[in-house]
Amino acid sequence: MPVTINVESVHELRRLDLIARRHHRVAPIALRINRATGTLTGSHRMTGTPTPFGIDESQLSQAIALTTQSPGVRLTGLHLHSVSNNLDAAAHVAFVADSLAYAALIADEHRLTFDTVNVGGGIGVDPTGAAAFDLDEFSRLLPEADMSGPRVVYELGRYLTAEIGWYAAEVIDIKHTHDRTFAVLRGGTHHFRLPAAWGYSHPATVIEREDWPYPWPRPELVNATVDVTGELCTPRDVLARGLHVDRLRIGDILVFDRCGAYGWTISHHDFLNHPHPTFIVL
């Protein structure tokens, strides 16, 4: 099956047409549309609001007309990704049904036949573990949507990978300043930026280590609340606030789960040339 290229703007459409013609190819494309209304809630809205994503719905007719004048491209569908990290399964089914109905309306209006409708990603993972997307409910309700017509494409990167990654970092200091207690890690947001980027506290589990190489008493916290920070020279290098620990000592390891999506890949790896983490693949 040929690769479909999702086109984000009229300029991008013109560039792709030029490149394809230079190589004597015809590129299958889907137009990504920023619809006037958003139909989902989530952590990051992509459509129904001013964003740099997609073609404004008011410019769709112009873009479709341009595809008919561009021999290097062939319009095969629409891309309608709406939001990131939605946790409501029933709402996501409604979004899929609405996307298909919208694509059918556009196809009828412009006398087109679409092979695919890409509804994007957006099926969410709560990194705190407090909520979960009900995939069983989604599967049960989905057949009620009108699934005839174009093939529906999903982009499930986060949902597939979030649960299969962990970040482990050593506690290198415990300190108390201005009525708050801090655990400082040999690591931080240059390895795992998601909590700082999204503004939440990521849960962590303490793995105790008995080795203590120093001749003074080992600092520890018992039944305490701690803010977990990294070693960067910025107060924004925070992975968790108000984390409860039964016991935590310098030299112990904190392990953060659900790090398989938007962890390392979105982090500022070379902040002040701190070393990269070691990767272990199991």
Side-chain angles (χ1 to χ4, degrees), residues 3-273:
V3 172
T4 299
I5 300 175
N6 298 310
V7 173
E8 295 267 355
S9 71
V10 169
H11 174 64
E12 192 170 279
L13 174 59
R14 290 192 173 106
R15 289 178 58 225
L16 180 59
D17 172 57
L18 181 62
I19 293 169
R21 285 189 285 111
R22 283 176 176 172
H23 289 83
H24 307 290
R25 300 290 181 88
V26 177
I29 68 166
L31 295 177
R32 182 173 179 179
I33 310 305
N34 189 329
R35 296 181 61 185
T37 57
T39 57
L40 279 175
T41 59
S43 59
H44 296 69
R45 287 181 61 191
M46 308 291 181
T47 63
T49 189
T51 69
F53 303 109
I55 299 168
D56 189 286
E57 191 172 21
S58 66
Q59 302 168 19
L60 176 56
S61 294
Q62 174 193 359
I64 290 176
L66 184 58
T67 65
T68 66
Q69 303 162 20
S70 304
V73 301
R74 179 172 63 90
L75 179 58
T76 64
L78 298 180
H79 186 295
L80 301 172
H81 177 54
S82 174
V83 74
S84 180
N85 218 35
N86 168 56
L87 294 169
D88 187 333
H92 215 88
V93 170
F95 163 70
V96 172
D98 179 70
S99 296
L100 292 174
Y102 176 77
L105 182 67
I106 296 301
D108 183 65
E109 179 182 347
H110 294 274
R111 299 181 180 180
L112 299 169
T113 299
F114 291 141
D115 299 331
T116 62
V117 176
N118 188 326
V119 295
I123 292 181
V125 175
D126 183 352
T128 71
F133 186 91
D134 191 336
L135 192 61
D136 290 336
E137 181 184 17
F138 181 71
S139 300
R140 177 174 56 83
L141 294 177
L142 194 60
E144 299 179 8
D146 181 8
M147 300 300 292
S148 63
R151 184 169 56 94
V152 182
V153 178
Y154 298 87
E155 299 175 7
L156 301 178
R158 183 208 320 276
Y159 191 82
L160 294 176
T161 64
E163 299 283 353
I164 60 173
W166 294 263
Y167 176 54
E170 180 186 3
V171 178
I172 59 173
D173 206 350
I174 293 174
K175 54 200 303 184
H176 190 83
T177 60
H178 295 287
D179 300 322
R180 295 193 73 88
T181 303
F182 297 88
V184 183
L185 301 180
R186 177 70 74 202
T189 57
H190 56 309
H191 296 164
F192 180 42
R193 185 172 175 263
L194 188 62
W198 283 18
Y200 73 94
S201 294
H202 200 100
T205 300
V206 178
I207 304 297
E208 295 188 351
R209 297 170 67 193
E210 297 308 319
D211 180 53
W212 179 247
Y214 304 108
W216 53 83
R218 187 175 184 179
E220 71 173 14
L221 302 171
V222 177
N223 191 25
T225 298
V226 62
D227 293 348
V228 181
T229 72
E231 58 187 333
L232 305 182
C233 59
T234 167
R236 296 183 180 181
D237 186 19
V238 179
L239 278 68
R241 293 195 184 277
L243 177 71
H244 179 267
V245 292
D246 293 332
R247 183 169 77 154
L248 181 67
R249 302 166 297 175
I250 295 177
D252 286 341
I253 303 293
L254 280 178
V255 178
F256 302 81
D257 62 2
R258 299 186 184 89
C259 299
Y262 299 111
W264 169 253
T265 54
I266 68 165
S267 302
H268 39 289
H269 303 158
D270 296 315
F271 191 107
L272 294 183
N273 291 320

